[in-house]
Amino acid sequence: MLVNDVPQFGAVEHPMYIKERVKKIASSLRSRSNQNGKVPFDPYKCAASFGLVVQEVPLPRAISGRLRMDLSPPTIEVKREEIRVRKHYTVCHELAHLCFFKETPALPHERGEIEKILTVQKREERICDMIAAELLMPETRFLRCAKLMDSPSFDAITSLARTFDVSIATVLQRIRETRSWSIGVLDCEIDVDNGGFHCRSKWISVCRAVRSAHLRSEISLEIARALDATERFLKTRPESIARCVNLRFRDLKVYLLRYASKNRLRAIALRHC
């Protein structure tokens, strides 16, 4: 197969149609590489089926991978230093860029407008991330696996990561996108010199099974309070950062995950729907 045979995303008439198109593109890529229903997905096999070579090379710090159409055969370069599961995601992301080989994902009012180029490029990056996630963790399959877990927990997260052969961070993002569970994540940067830390980002997602707007609001507030309490606890008990103890707040539990870099901490709040 040749690169020209890669299914094309096509014109974007409205943002609401993007998600369905992502699923169709991912399904087509799986089918053409003979991986329908296969878990975990093999991105290297998929790349080879379209005549691409994957090479591990040293890349600048801010770049995890890139698509080289100027090489023969076309090549996906991935950062040599990245962990294996990160490389898998990068290959999927770069494969997705081929789906825009003939047409960019510009909305009707953006076509031909030079000042909209950056906006369209950012949209392509987001859609490539969506395609990569759907390739590695098909939504229907992911929801079924998440539902089969006894209860939301860190062990359940690591089990999902093993099943789909992805990183914990990728599983967390997929839980957020699919709203499989009610979850909140707080990322902190540790100040090594002063012994404190500051919040880098925080997000909350409520399980899709919760239909009541009032209950969704209550659950979201409960998770937010737990994350705020976790942040206060760590500021007053900095020694807990080293131990990474887990915390319990009524109907949910907060798991503290220390990164290998030693200066980052992630608090993961999980709750039953």
Side-chain angles (χ1 to χ4, degrees), residues 40-108:
F41 175 74
D42 186 344
Y44 294 91
K45 180 180 178 181
C46 186
S49 70
F50 289 106
L52 283 92
V53 173
V54 179
Q55 291 185 342
E56 296 184 7
V57 299
L59 291 173
R61 183 176 181 180
I63 299 177
S64 294
R66 60 189 177 191
L67 180 62
R68 297 288 303 274
M69 299 300 293
D70 57 318
L71 300 178
S72 183
T75 300
I76 293 175
E77 295 181 339
V78 294
K79 183 177 289 185
R80 182 178 296 155
E81 297 79 13
E82 296 278 15
I83 61 174
R84 182 180 56 83
V85 290
R86 176 61 185 171
K87 291 173 185 173
H88 284 191
Y89 187 91
T90 298
V91 174
C92 288
H93 178 96
E94 298 305 327
L95 274 169
H97 275 297
L98 287 172
C99 300
F100 300 96
F101 193 64
K102 297 178 181 177
E103 192 170 12
T104 61
L107 294 170

Side-chain angles (χ1 to χ4, degrees), residues 28-272:
S28 182
L29 290 171
R30 279 179 160 272
S31 178
R32 295 192 188 197
S33 60
N34 296 315
Q35 296 191 72
N36 278 333
K38 183 180 178 183
V39 173
F41 175 74
D42 186 344
Y44 294 91
K45 180 180 178 181
C46 186
S49 70
F50 289 106
L52 283 92
V53 173
V54 179
Q55 291 185 342
E56 296 184 7
V57 299
L59 291 173
R61 183 176 181 180
I63 299 177
S64 294
R66 60 189 177 191
L67 180 62
R68 297 288 303 274
M69 299 300 293
D70 57 318
L71 300 178
S72 183
T75 300
I76 293 175
E77 295 181 339
V78 294
K79 183 177 289 185
R80 182 178 296 155
E81 297 79 13
E82 296 278 15
I83 61 174
R84 182 180 56 83
V85 290
R86 176 61 185 171
K87 291 173 185 173
H88 284 191
Y89 187 91
T90 298
V91 174
C92 288
H93 178 96
E94 298 305 327
L95 274 169
H97 275 297
L98 287 172
C99 300
F100 300 96
F101 193 64
K102 297 178 181 177
E103 192 170 12
T104 61
L107 294 170
H109 70 277
E110 296 170 335
R111 293 164 195 165
E113 300 293 331
I114 295 177
E115 66 271 14
K116 297 294 184 180
I117 290 177
L118 183 58
T119 298
V120 176
Q121 289 175 339
K122 288 181 178 179
R123 183 178 299 119
E124 181 174 330
E125 291 297 328
R126 289 196 301 272
I127 295 174
C128 286
D129 278 337
M130 293 170 69
I131 293 173
E134 185 65 23
L135 281 172
L136 292 167
M137 299 166 288
E139 183 175 4
T140 302
R141 183 72 174 268
F142 187 85
L143 284 169
R144 184 163 60 245
C145 289
K147 189 175 181 180
L148 288 173
M149 298 293 174
D150 291 334
S151 62
S153 66
F154 189 73
D155 286 342
I157 291 172
T158 56
S159 178
L160 288 169
R162 287 193 299 269
T163 297
F164 293 97
D165 198 21
V166 295
S167 67
I168 287 174
T170 303
V171 169
L172 291 173
Q173 184 59 32
R174 197 58 169 158
I175 291 173
R176 180 184 188 180
E177 293 165 351
T178 61
R179 294 170 55 207
S180 316
W181 303 331
S182 293
I183 183 173
V185 172
L186 173 72
D187 282 315
C188 300
E189 190 84 32
I190 300 170
D191 185 344
V192 178
D193 295 329
N194 299 319
F197 72 99
H198 64 274
C199 176
R200 297 176 67 246
S201 64
K202 178 169 68 175
W203 57 262
I204 295 168
S205 179
V206 178
C207 179
R208 65 198 300 167
V210 181
R211 303 296 184 186
S212 165
H214 176 70
L215 185 54
R216 284 200 303 270
S217 179
E218 282 191 349
I219 293 173
S220 181
L221 183 59
E222 181 184 355
I223 293 174
R225 285 173 174 168
L227 291 178
D228 289 344
T230 298
E231 187 174 1
R232 290 194 299 271
F233 173 80
L234 293 173
K235 284 181 177 178
T236 57
R237 302 272 301 276
E239 70 277 4
S240 300
I241 296 176
R243 299 201 307 270
C244 278
V245 298
N246 297 323
L247 307 173
R248 170 73 70 178
F249 296 93
R250 293 180 59 186
D251 295 329
L252 56 82
K253 193 170 184 179
V254 178
Y255 300 86
L256 302 181
L257 177 64
R258 185 76 175 266
Y259 286 85
S261 62
K262 305 297 184 184
N263 66 336
R264 291 179 61 196
L265 183 78
R266 170 167 280 180
I268 305 167
L270 293 171
R271 183 192 189 281
H272 287 284

